[in-house]
Amino acid sequence: MSAIDDLPPLRQVIETHGLSARKSLGQNFLLDLNLTAKIARRAGELTDCDILEIGPGPGGLTRGLLAEGARKVLAIEKDHRCMPALAEISDAYPGRLEVINGDALEVDPLSHLTPPIRVAANLPYNVGTELLVRWLTPKEWPPFWQSLTLMFQREVAERITAQPGSKAYGRLAILSQWRANTNIVMSLPPGAFSPPPKVHSAVVHLTALPEPRYPADAHTLSRIVAAAFNQRRKMLRAALKGQAPDIEDRLIAAGIKPTDRAEVVSLEQFCALARVMKDAN
């Protein structure tokens, strides 16, 4: 018996179903069910929420979310080998787990979920950042989700929560903190996973703000920040020269020195630049 339900321990599940983690899918499985339940608790009150989970694998976090009272979990898993293990969890929690065998980058989950919705996932390393950016930059805000509780490599988690002037500060910090409160709520060593990754991991909790901190067009802000930090050693007038012929004037209009580098420019200043750049080709 496991620590949180009557299903077998995860090591036994993995052995029974031949679920060796695949590097090509960015898989690293968490085996400690007490730990997955702890991560589920970091997602907040789950009783009245539907949960979107990406990459459940053998279902460790899935079981934690259900054991902590999630109203429903929608689990999107690309690896067909995991389907039998997830079906066993579905049988143990009747009517509360729906599993889609598909690519999270291609599946629209909203027709399967009822608000309020939270996202909780040990994201596959190879798609985690792309999914986060998608969730942070929808055309309309507030988004479909109330909160995101996501596991990343520690380096990525620090980039999400970084402040201006730090080496980690960049595109992810700007896009995350523009529309959400961000906190690192857990750290995990490599030994918590099978197979152990080469790096430490961390869980980041993001809570959606009712309105962005500063007005800006999401597409324009994303484009400008990507260009600015792509050449972070350059002065902004050089890094952004392809964005507009009069880039120095636009930087000055946003309260930014053309000789500044991206890592010292605040979120508020980048949003101001997005506003004055919105009509640039």
Side-chain angles (χ1 to χ4, degrees):
M1 182 180 292
S2 70
I4 62 173
D5 55 33
D6 293 332
L7 291 165
L10 281 174
R11 287 190 184 278
Q12 182 178 330
V13 172
I14 289 171
E15 181 178 351
T16 298
H17 297 287
L19 298 179
S20 56
R22 288 182 175 174
K23 187 175 181 180
S24 62
L25 295 175
Q27 291 175 329
N28 295 93
F29 299 146
L30 270 173
L31 298 183
D32 186 338
L33 287 165
N34 290 311
L35 190 56
T36 62
K38 185 177 180 180
I39 295 170
R41 289 193 290 273
R42 293 293 189 269
E45 177 56 51
L46 307 181
T47 306
D48 296 322
C49 294
D50 281 8
I51 310 298
L52 171 62
E53 183 187 7
I54 307 298
L61 180 56
T62 313
R63 289 165 63 176
L65 293 165
L66 291 165
E68 290 299 317
R71 181 175 65 190
K72 174 185 175 179
V73 175
L74 173 67
I76 301 176
E77 175 56 62
K78 188 175 184 179
D79 188 353
H80 66 88
R81 300 176 305 152
C82 297
M83 294 301 107
L86 294 170
E88 292 174 358
I89 301 173
S90 182
D91 290 343
Y93 293 91
R96 294 175 57 203
L97 173 61
E98 180 180 357
V99 182
I100 296 177
N101 185 195
D103 188 335
L105 296 174
E106 299 174 358
V107 174
D108 179 6
L110 296 187
S111 61
H112 302 265
L113 296 166
T114 302
I117 300 166
R118 298 182 185 271
V119 180
N122 173 14
L123 289 174
Y125 285 159
N126 53 359
V127 298
T129 300
E130 182 173 353
L131 284 170
L132 175 61
V133 171
R134 287 190 185 190
W135 290 329
L136 291 169
T137 56
K139 292 182 179 179
E140 297 183 359
W141 195 268
F144 74 86
W145 50 272
Q146 286 188 336
S147 67
L148 309 172
T149 306
L150 307 172
M151 187 181 303
F152 292 101
Q153 295 179 32
R154 178 80 193 189
E155 177 187 350
V156 177
E158 290 173 347
R159 284 162 53 196
I160 292 168
T161 58
Q163 297 300 307
S166 67
K167 291 183 179 180
Y169 183 67
R171 175 172 172 252
L172 284 185
I174 295 292
L175 296 181
S176 299
Q177 296 171 39
W178 176 45
R179 286 175 155 177
N181 290 325
T182 66
N183 293 285
I184 294 176
V185 294
M186 281 182 65
S187 295
L188 297 97
F193 299 86
S194 177
K198 296 181 180 179
V199 296
H200 282 68
S201 299
V203 177
V204 184
H205 184 73
L206 300 93
T207 305
L209 296 170
E211 297 287 343
R213 283 194 162 83
Y214 308 103
D217 174 73
H219 175 74
T220 305
L221 180 63
S222 185
R223 171 172 56 84
I224 291 168
V225 171
F229 286 99
N230 187 47
Q231 303 181 70
R232 59 190 302 145
R233 292 191 178 185
K234 287 189 175 183
M235 297 177 187
L236 280 174
R237 66 186 179 194
L240 297 176
K241 64 182 179 180
Q243 301 296 314
D246 57 345
I247 188 60
E248 286 203 28
D249 292 339
R250 293 178 187 251
L251 286 165
I252 293 169
I256 301 170
K257 296 178 182 178
T259 54
D260 280 344
R261 290 179 172 81
E263 58 264 29
V264 302
V265 177
S266 69
L267 169 60
E268 183 177 8
Q269 289 175 310
F270 269 119
C271 289
L273 181 59
R275 295 194 296 275
V276 300
M277 291 287 289
K278 191 174 186 304
D279 60 345
N281 293 327

